[in-house]
Amino acid sequence: MTSPLCTDVLIVGGGIAGLWLNARLRSQGFSTLLVENASLGGGQSLKSQGIIHGGAKYALHGALSGASEAIADMPRRWREALAGTGELDLAGVRVLSDAHYLWSPGTLAGNLSSFLASKAVRSRVDQVKGADLPPALQHPKFKGKVYRLNELVLDVPSLIERLSLLAGDSLLAAQQIEALRGTASEPAEQSEQAEQSAQADPREPTELTKPAELLGLRLDGREVRAQRIVLSAGAGNAQLLADLGIRQPSMQRRPLHMVLVKGPGLKPLYAHCLGGGPKPRVTITSHPAADGQWVWYLGGDLAEAAGVARDERAQIRAAQHELAQLLPWIDLSTAHWATLRVDRAEPAQSSLGRPDNAFLAEQGRLLVGWPTKLALAPDFADRVLAALARDGIRPGPPSTRPELPRPPLGQPIWTSLLP
Ligand code: FAD
């Protein structure tokens, strides 16, 4: 039995939530270890559209909701980090677009009027015309209104790479993650033996009256004790909680069926296209492929319920129909198409609604949560830091790294899905 290693905070899951939190903790002097069982960013983060929402999309009902309020400060925080002057130094991360656009095609401007009626929204959007329109919309046949939102779009692969650099030597790859239980005052093995003998015949009284506490985790057999353990494993949180015998918080999955299209006729476009309802009809982001062409990644209503029900061929046909209607001047005759099914993992909400901000639940040394949006990773880290401060947890001695490999970086999805 090897003696346990100690760290201040042990993080499980290397998506945006875990990596951002890890970098923040390290910048404040905490010792950290982060364990990943697949690839860094390879869960939802590298499948996201990379939009740093400022909440405008959520105000389409004409009134700001809780989501808009919580998220409103995120573009500023990310911009400062990207400039190297914020809470993290993200200088060098590629910004794909300095703005995201809201685009109302044809005569649907009525839909925009209630949106723009909100003063808080008006202060965040500007109408753009002519040469200021996004390149893909600069065509004589284009009709509609376009507003510029104060929202960035990031190249998520370069973000994940930068955060993995800020992680130093704290990143660990391990497959088997088990609870390390004991009481803080006695060795973990001793209390586990007592717990096992009590489980063998639960009617027998045992001298051990205190329940065994979660002290750390065993990572592929290596024991790591921590002052706090944070589960930020996205969709993996549900299984991790089940393995730890913990029922709450429960998680919901919101399935999406996204579409990717790559072709020589595509120019960059970052926009929510409005339909008749409160949700964007389609949300388009553009991503550079290694051969210099652009990949359009299509989400929004197209990828939600009706899109989830379609098989891949029908979903591609639906996307082709949308683009032919909205942007008929774009030549997609030689384009390559693919779809991607992916679930958003979030804390369970009534009627599968969208959570308003990052979520964190606590139980003893264990903290578990979901940022609920890439943009809200700073909010997730704030919540963990607030919990540490409240409990008087301060940076301790540096941790020793267990002998485990470093996890690989996840790859952009279009490299595997498109030629
Ligand atoms: P993940 O990125 O899923 O990371 C979790 C990590 O934990 C993974 O690397 C996984 O391998 C690892 N893991 C799982 N189980 C274990 C285990 N047992 N042990 C160790 N490691 C484990 N948000 C935005 O703000 N803007 C957008 O434009 C946007 N677009 C989106 C588009 C799509 C199609 C989707 C699906 C989501 C989008 N989101 C967007 C939401 C955003 O992607 C997620 O909220 C965010 O990436 C979640 O980050 P995370 O770190 O919690 O999870």
Side-chain angles (χ1 to χ4, degrees), residues 62-82:
L64 287 177
S65 68
S68 333
E69 299 295 352
I71 211 167
D73 200 27
M74 291 302 140
R76 178 192 64 80
R77 289 177 68 175
W78 280 86
R79 281 182 202 281
E80 286 177 7
L82 290 159

Side-chain angles (χ1 to χ4, degrees), residues 11-20 34-53 57-58 71 78 100 152-153 156 160 172 174-177 231-240 243 254-258 272 283 285 297-299 303 340-346 369-377 380 413:
I11 302 167
V12 184
I16 188 67
L19 287 169
W20 184 288
L34 181 154
V35 59
E36 165 60 48
N37 73 352
S39 61
L40 299 168
Q44 296 159 86
S45 298
L46 281 168
K47 295 170 187 139
S48 80
Q49 294 192 280
I51 306 164
I52 303 303
H53 303 284
K57 178 175 88 162
Y58 306 98
I71 211 167
W78 280 86
H100 197 66
L152 297 160
V153 187
V156 181
I160 298 293
L172 308 169
Q175 297 305 312
Q176 223 184 350
I177 293 165
L231 304 186
S232 57
N237 276 348
Q239 188 58 51
L240 283 162
D243 293 347
R254 209 149 41 84
L256 296 171
H257 195 183
M258 306 289 287
H272 299 301
T283 295
T285 50
Y297 192 30
L298 312 181
L340 174 75
R341 288 188 186 275
V342 54
D343 291 347
R344 279 184 177 240
E346 302 163 335
W370 296 268
T372 75
K373 282 174 192 63
L374 181 102
L376 284 165
F380 179 76
I413 39 168

Side-chain angles (χ1 to χ4, degrees), residues 134-345:
L137 302 183
Q138 289 185 22
H139 192 275
K141 285 191 186 155
F142 174 72
K143 288 193 177 55
K145 289 198 168 160
V146 179
Y147 291 83
R148 187 181 198 276
L149 304 177
N150 174 25
E151 300 185 345
L152 297 160
V153 187
L154 299 183
D155 177 53
V156 181
S158 71
L159 169 65
I160 298 293
E161 194 178 344
R162 176 72 190 144
L163 288 171
S164 78
L165 276 177
L166 296 180
D169 65 355
S170 63
L171 304 178
L172 308 169
Q175 297 305 312
Q176 223 184 350
I177 293 165
E178 298 158 294
L180 178 67
R181 292 189 188 277
T183 50
S185 55
E186 76 185 350
E189 311 87 65
Q190 208 178 311
S191 105
E192 275 178 8
Q193 278 161 16
E195 199 185 9
Q196 278 161 15
S197 62
Q199 279 167 3
D201 185 351
R203 292 161 304 177
E204 287 295 317
T206 157
E207 283 183 24
L208 191 76
T209 47
K210 270 194 183 168
E213 189 190 334
L214 186 70
L215 298 181
L217 296 174
R218 205 175 271 115
L219 313 175
D220 284 350
R222 275 83 165 176
E223 293 185 0
V224 179
R225 286 186 180 221
Q227 300 200 63
R228 288 292 178 274
I229 300 139
V230 181
L231 304 186
S232 57
N237 276 348
Q239 188 58 51
L240 283 162
L241 286 172
D243 293 347
L244 294 172
I246 296 170
R247 288 207 186 144
Q248 292 294 331
S250 48
M251 186 182 93
Q252 73 181 29
R253 288 173 180 265
R254 209 149 41 84
L256 296 171
H257 195 183
M258 306 289 287
V259 179
L260 295 97
V261 50
K262 176 181 169 185
L266 294 180
K267 293 179 184 166
L269 179 59
Y270 303 90
H272 299 301
C273 175
L274 297 182
K279 285 188 197 167
R281 167 174 170 178
V282 58
T283 295
I284 302 175
T285 50
S286 311
H287 306 267
D291 61 5
Q293 291 190 29
W294 287 97
V295 176
W296 277 12
Y297 192 30
L298 312 181
D301 221 21
L302 172 75
E304 300 212 9
V308 171
R310 293 184 198 112
D311 66 16
E312 177 169 13
R313 284 181 61 185
Q315 180 67 341
I316 288 174
R317 276 200 304 274
Q320 287 169 334
H321 183 256
E322 276 292 72
L323 294 185
Q325 281 216 320
L326 294 169
L327 305 155
W329 54 90
I330 293 189
D331 179 10
L332 292 168
S333 55
T334 59
H336 295 281
W337 297 80
T339 69
L340 174 75
R341 288 188 186 275
V342 54
D343 291 347
R344 279 184 177 240

Side-chain angles (χ1 to χ4, degrees), residues 346-367:
E346 302 163 335
Q349 308 284 300
S350 56
S351 68
L352 279 188
R354 290 155 191 250
D356 281 355
N357 40 37
F359 173 91
L360 188 73
E362 300 174 52
Q363 187 170 330
R365 288 175 190 234
L366 185 72
L367 292 88

